Amino acid sequence: MSHDNYELPSIYTRKPETDLESDNDEEVALNVNMSTPPPRSNYRDIHIQDSRTAWLLLLTAFFILLLTTVPAVADLPDINVWFTGDALWRLFDPIITLPLSLFVMTRADIMDQGGRPNYWISLSERSVGWLVWSIGAGIYVQGHGIHTAAALFKHPIQDFNRAHPELVVQYPVLEQMYSNMRDLWEHDIAHYMYAGGAMVMSWAQLFVFRNQVHGPLPTSTKIVWCLGILVYGLLLAAVAIDFPYGLVVGLIYAGGLSVVCISMMLFNTRYLPRGGLFTMGRRMVIQYYLMACVIALVIIIVWICIYGLKTRKAAGF
């Protein structure tokens, strides 16, 4: 057999030039398609996703405010001496609010696409987002459970102490048990775990939405988004006014998070003027937390000017 006519098997042969040319043509076409505006159906899909995000932000803040404020300001009827109406109301909190917060996370592009692989150690950007959110959710639920348990168990002890004051004098530990459940576990540890978990979940949302550009938002979505900002700002202010040392913590947290949100937009502009800071929702989630913190700061400062550093109960409300 002549060596001049010998050819390698086809698997090792070089691709024809026509294949390379077609690949280049596809790449050029892809680049052209990416540079041209998407069809109107895609714009409609984007508006639907933005609308869902705005509604989820509003509903999450609304239900947290509703489920935490009502037991604090209203005296719900007790089921029995061991099971208060307030505790029953609060049992629904994580069942409703955690899924809503989770659904907000799923609206982020990187949660759908995965984000950067190996973003932190061997975890992708999406996995880091879920990790941070799940840690916050765990702290939130633990704080909620401790708060509910302390609120349930303190009332029978309080009723017993009121019915037998002579025994309280003889056994001071009875008053100490009640005080520890009310002050240490319910008001201090549980409240701050509860709020701390919610804050960590909000940080996770800021993380996964930090590169996302929304809109332009239609008017209806802007209205829902602004209502959500107002409700969340009221929630932050209410928590600060109600918690022990909450006014100081609220000032520090709302002020610090505002600076973080502004920095996230100014140092990561996403090709928007000033990072979209002065737009109506182009950086929807970051602006949501920023403006809610501004509202909370205004309310907290006004409260301090009128009542000083007194909590809601200390001020007589």
Side-chain angles (χ1 to χ4, degrees):
M1 184 173 69
S2 173
H3 291 287
D4 295 337
N5 297 328
Y6 177 76
E7 292 183 0
L8 291 173
S10 61
I11 191 174
Y12 298 104
T13 57
R14 185 179 179 183
K15 291 183 178 180
E17 293 298 326
T18 56
D19 292 344
L20 292 176
E21 291 175 0
S22 63
D23 290 343
N24 291 335
D25 291 341
E26 291 177 359
E27 184 177 354
V28 171
L30 178 62
N31 291 334
V32 171
N33 290 335
M34 291 179 65
S35 63
T36 57
R40 291 183 64 85
S41 60
N42 286 356
Y43 280 123
R44 181 177 181 276
D45 292 340
I46 291 172
H47 286 165
I48 291 174
Q49 295 302 323
D50 290 342
S51 177
R52 289 174 179 172
T53 302
W55 273 106
L56 286 169
L57 290 169
L58 170 60
L59 291 174
T60 303
F62 172 77
F63 277 107
I64 294 177
L65 182 64
L66 177 70
L67 293 169
T68 56
T69 303
V70 169
V73 300
D75 189 13
L76 300 177
D78 296 340
I79 299 173
N80 55 49
V81 68
W82 292 100
F83 197 4
T84 64
D86 294 351
L88 176 62
W89 180 272
R90 288 192 175 98
L91 284 177
F92 294 100
D93 183 345
I95 300 173
I96 297 174
T97 57
L98 282 185
L100 289 171
S101 177
L102 182 144
F103 292 150
V104 173
M105 292 285 291
T106 63
R107 298 298 95 195
D109 288 344
I110 69 168
M111 308 310 282
D112 179 48
Q113 302 166 4
R116 291 162 50 189
N118 300 319
Y119 179 79
W120 183 63
I121 310 178
S122 60
L123 297 177
S124 67
E125 201 169 358
R126 174 170 56 192
S127 297
V128 172
W130 281 129
L131 176 63
V132 176
W133 185 89
S134 62
I135 291 173
I139 298 171
Y140 184 87
V141 172
Q142 285 181 324
H144 176 271
I146 293 172
H147 184 277
T148 303
L152 281 172
F153 299 146
K154 75 175 184 180
H155 289 293
I157 298 176
Q158 182 185 32
D159 294 340
F160 180 86
N161 291 350
R162 288 175 176 175
H164 305 281
E166 72 284 356
L167 293 179
V168 175
V169 175
Q170 186 177 357
Y171 301 101
V173 69
L174 293 172
E175 182 61 28
Q176 293 172 9
M177 291 170 59
Y178 170 72
S179 297
N180 281 333
M181 287 186 185
R182 181 194 61 191
D183 299 329
L184 178 62
W185 289 104
E186 182 185 4
H187 291 169
D188 292 343
I189 295 176
H191 275 180
Y192 278 99
M193 287 183 68
Y194 193 63
M199 288 189 293
V200 174
M201 287 189 288
S202 68
W203 300 342
Q205 292 174 1
L206 285 171
F207 171 76
V208 298
F209 281 99
R210 71 193 187 282
N211 295 323
Q212 193 158 329
V213 177
H214 302 266
L217 304 181
T219 303
S220 58
T221 302
K222 288 178 182 178
I223 293 172
V224 174
W225 178 64
C226 290
L227 286 174
I229 291 171
L230 177 62
V231 173
Y232 190 67
L234 292 174
L235 173 63
L236 291 177
V239 169
I241 292 170
D242 199 59
F243 280 23
Y245 316 108
L247 292 166
V248 176
V249 175
L251 282 174
I252 296 173
Y253 177 75
L257 190 60
S258 298
V259 173
V260 170
C261 291
I262 293 173
S263 300
M264 291 174 73
M265 286 184 280
L266 293 182
F267 293 104
N268 182 23
T269 62
R270 309 306 297 171
Y271 307 104
L272 294 171
R274 295 182 179 83
L277 178 61
F278 299 106
T279 62
M280 280 292 288
R282 297 306 303 274
R283 307 294 292 276
M284 180 190 290
V285 176
I286 302 176
Q287 290 174 291
Y288 168 86
Y289 284 107
L290 170 60
M291 289 188 279
C293 285
V294 172
I295 292 173
L297 281 172
V298 171
I299 296 174
I300 292 171
I301 291 172
V302 171
W303 178 276
I304 292 175
C305 292
I306 298 174
Y307 301 103
L309 295 176
K310 294 179 180 179
T311 62
R312 175 181 60 83
K313 288 185 177 180
F317 293 98

